[in-house]
């Protein structure tokens, strides 16, 4: 059985300042899931903090979700700190100005007409039990497809695991194509063979996942679907477990990112206790492995020109695909498209 290494001393390890430096912009352009639908009830405000900004979410009079800047344009009060939702409009706790789901000021006490000001916000989509916002210039040109497992009763209610790490979200995504770590961290006998198949803002990987889990051999298909920089769906199917994992990576600020994992386990007809047992096994195995990775991420530095072994081709492919979500002349977009060699025996990223 695979033995996990002791990382307990990492919490006391002094942090190298280079670990907070990245040449790429903090927020790649794309869709991000900022909230689960069930956590946004009508008549309530939910406070959020992403993209280095204080945000609020609420539902308008028609039930539509909206995500907007948290601070009132009138005098700067935080609308989520004592504010309330009245008839689908958010009311400022300081002076009573109200804003609708589109951000427009709907009323202001003692004003003859509503001031022509708006709360900044984002394009919002809601499906698959999630609320997505689009961060980027202009209106979005592509959409995140619906994820059927999120509403399919053949799958048990998800395990919801939310974590933070001092790392850029691009490096979180690179983890799925880091062939060698599947052996060293996840206990596979050898690195998987992977080929990234790009399709505009989407990409796919189809491989296999083979390792012992709690003493049982697992040999599953492993299909990865990436929808821009912030949303990834992993489907794995086998005799012991069939599961869909939704991996949501979202920038919190210049140094910190959020990883939200939603694990949907498929129920086995006629075996009602299978899903709870598999959920427990998943918590025992996957949770520990993910936290081991986060402990490493918290202290790693970004290598624009990593030294790669000949079989380590995934990072190169993913960085080239990922560069489209940055401005064309950003340092990272340019570096990842033309990188020099380093040694004869090791394959450089180029």
């Amino acid at each position: 059985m695979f033995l996990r290494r002791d990382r307990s001393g990492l919490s006391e390890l002094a942090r190298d300042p280079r670990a907070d430096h990245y040449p790429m912009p903090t927020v790649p352009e794309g869709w991000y899931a900022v909230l689960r639908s069930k956590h946004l009830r009508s008549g309530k405000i939910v406070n959020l903090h992403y993209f280095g900004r204080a945000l609020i979410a609420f539902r308008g009079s028609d039930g539509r979700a909206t995500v907007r800047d948290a601070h009132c344009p009138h005098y700067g009060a935080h609308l989520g700190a004592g504010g309330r939702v009245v008839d689908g409009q958010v009311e400022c706790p300081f002076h009573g100005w109200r804003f609708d789901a589109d951000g427009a000021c709907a009323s202001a006490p003692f004003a003859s007409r509503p001031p022509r000001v708006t709360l900044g916000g984002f394009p919002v989509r809601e499906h698959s039990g999630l609320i997505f916002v689009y961060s980027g210039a202009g209106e979005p040109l592509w959409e995140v497809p619906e994820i059927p497992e999120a509403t399919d009763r053949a799958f048990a209610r998800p395990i919801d695991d939310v974590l933070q790490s001092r790392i850029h979200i691009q490096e979180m995504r690179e983890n799925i194509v880091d062939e060698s770590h599947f052996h060293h961290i996840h206990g596979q006998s050898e690195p998987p063979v992977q080929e990234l198949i790009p399709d505009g803002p989407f990409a796919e990987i189809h491989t296999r996942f083979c390792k012992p889990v709690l003493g049982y051999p697992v040999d599953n298909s492993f299909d990865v679907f990436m929808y821009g920089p912030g949303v990834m769906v992993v489907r794995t199917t086998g005799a012991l477990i069939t599961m869909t994992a939704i991996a949501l990576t979202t920038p919190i600020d210049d140094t910190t990112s959020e990883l939200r994992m939603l694990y949907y386990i498929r129920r086995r007809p006629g075996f009602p206790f299978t899903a709870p047992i598999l959920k427990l096994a998943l918590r025992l195995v996957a949770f520990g492995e993910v936290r081991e990775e986060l402990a490493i991420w918290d202290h790693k530095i970004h290598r624009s020109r990593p030294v790669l072994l000949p079989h380590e081709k995934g990072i190169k492919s993913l960085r080239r695909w990922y560069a489209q979500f940055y401005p064309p002349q950003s340092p990272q977009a340019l570096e990842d498209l033309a990188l020099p060699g380093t040694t004869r025996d090791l394959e450089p990223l180029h």
Side-chain angles (χ1 to χ4, degrees):
M1 183 176 174
F2 177 62
L3 297 178
R4 188 166 296 117
R5 287 155 295 283
D6 181 12
R7 306 285 185 187
S8 57
L10 288 179
S11 60
E12 289 79 34
L13 181 65
R15 184 173 174 80
D16 191 312
R18 293 176 299 169
D20 286 330
H21 175 72
Y22 296 95
M24 55 276 210
T26 300
V27 186
E29 187 168 306
W31 289 99
Y32 298 94
V34 296
L35 194 61
R36 292 184 66 187
S37 295
K38 73 172 191 176
H39 294 153
L40 186 59
R41 294 180 293 164
S42 294
K44 300 295 182 181
I45 299 172
V46 174
N47 290 313
L48 304 170
H49 189 98
Y50 292 109
F51 320 121
R53 299 162 65 177
L55 305 170
I56 58 168
F58 65 97
R59 294 192 182 277
S61 57
D62 59 357
R64 177 167 52 97
T66 187
V67 178
R68 315 218 69 87
D69 287 326
H71 293 101
C72 181
H74 172 217
Y75 203 50
H78 192 301
L79 299 173
R84 59 178 184 151
V85 176
V86 181
D87 298 328
Q89 299 172 350
V90 65
E91 182 183 83
C92 176
F94 208 0
H95 302 98
W97 289 29
R98 292 183 183 177
F99 299 87
D100 64 21
D102 293 320
C105 182
S107 65
F110 311 110
S112 58
R113 60 164 86 66
R116 298 180 64 181
V117 295
T118 60
L119 287 174
F122 301 85
V124 173
R125 304 287 188 269
E126 183 173 9
H127 63 74
S128 308
L130 295 166
I131 295 170
F132 300 91
V133 302
Y134 185 83
S135 179
E139 290 297 311
L141 299 178
W142 56 276
E143 303 286 339
V144 175
E146 292 197 18
I147 305 166
E149 294 90 338
T151 54
D152 189 342
R153 296 181 64 85
F155 288 80
R157 286 184 296 179
I159 299 173
D160 186 356
D161 192 28
V162 184
L163 300 160
Q164 294 183 8
S165 182
R166 297 283 290 271
I167 193 172
H168 193 284
I169 65 165
Q170 176 182 311
E171 297 220 354
M172 284 182 166
R173 181 64 62 84
E174 288 178 11
N175 195 65
I176 198 68
V177 294
D178 178 3
E179 296 96 339
S180 293
H181 101 286
F182 280 96
H183 165 70
H184 199 66
I185 298 293
H186 299 294
Q188 292 195 227
S189 59
E190 58 185 31
V193 177
Q194 296 183 333
E195 179 185 1
L196 186 141
I197 305 170
D199 180 15
F202 305 146
E204 298 180 11
I205 299 169
H206 303 283
T207 184
R208 297 201 68 80
F209 183 78
C210 307
K211 63 171 285 185
V213 176
L214 300 178
Y216 292 91
V218 172
D219 183 0
N220 276 25
S221 62
F222 194 79
D223 301 302
V224 179
F225 302 87
M226 292 181 266
Y227 307 128
V231 182
M232 181 172 69
V233 178
V234 180
R235 296 181 171 99
T236 180
T237 302
L240 181 64
I241 183 171
T242 293
M243 180 183 70
T244 294
I246 304 175
L248 306 168
T249 49
T250 308
I252 294 175
D253 53 36
D254 289 345
T255 62
T256 310
S257 298
E258 178 183 277
L259 172 64
R260 177 172 227 142
M261 297 294 303
L262 292 166
Y263 301 96
Y264 290 86
I265 295 176
R266 187 175 184 87
R267 296 186 174 99
R268 299 183 66 179
F271 297 91
F273 301 108
T274 301
I277 293 172
L278 291 175
K279 281 186 176 183
L280 177 59
L282 187 67
R283 289 180 182 275
L284 291 173
V285 177
F287 275 33
E289 292 175 359
V290 171
R291 281 155 178 76
E292 185 174 1
E293 289 173 327
L294 261 70
I296 296 170
W297 292 347
D298 275 337
H299 292 278
K300 80 177 296 297
I301 65 172
H302 177 74
R303 291 290 192 195
S304 294
R305 296 174 173 83
V307 179
L308 300 175
L309 297 171
H311 71 275
E312 296 174 326
K313 302 181 185 299
I315 293 175
K316 173 175 63 177
S317 298
L318 186 131
R319 286 191 178 184
R320 293 195 177 209
W321 172 77
Y322 208 93
Q324 68 183 295
F325 305 114
Y326 299 118
Q329 299 304 311
S330 71
Q332 189 64 26
L334 294 175
E335 284 184 359
D336 286 347
L337 291 175
L339 300 179
T342 52
T343 73
R344 174 182 297 179
D345 297 323
L346 299 182
E347 181 178 312
L349 178 60
H350 65 270

